[in-house]
Amino acid sequence: MTLPYDTARCEGFYIASKMLPMEGLNPDCIDCLRRTSPGRDQWQAYIAPHDGEGPCPMRIGPMELT
């Protein structure tokens, strides 16, 4: 399932460690449709990733679309 093009996308929040600066995605971001849905090439709006404190308020899970 994909999102409409007028819904902002997100790059996802990467969990950093001292050894590896970009170790991996936050578990909330793995199946978030804001990250996984394709966007338009030029005109797609993006939001800043969540700071990682608590659950992401902007997350759209795969089963949350009607």
Side-chain angles (χ1 to χ4, degrees), residues 1-41:
M1 186 168 287
T2 61
L3 294 176
Y5 289 129
D6 62 349
T7 304
R9 303 302 197 265
C10 179
E11 300 271 328
F13 177 75
Y14 284 88
I15 300 169
S17 72
K18 292 180 182 177
M19 300 293 286
L20 300 169
M22 298 186 92
E23 187 171 297
L25 277 172
N26 185 345
D28 282 347
C29 300
I30 292 173
D31 63 349
C32 179
L33 290 177
R34 287 189 187 272
R35 189 185 71 81
T36 60
S37 289
R40 298 181 93 162
D41 293 333

Side-chain angles (χ1 to χ4, degrees), residues 40-58:
R40 298 181 93 162
D41 293 333
Q42 288 182 317
W43 304 105
Q44 184 62 55
Y46 277 83
I47 59 172
H50 181 57
D51 63 4
E53 296 293 321
C56 179
M58 303 301 286

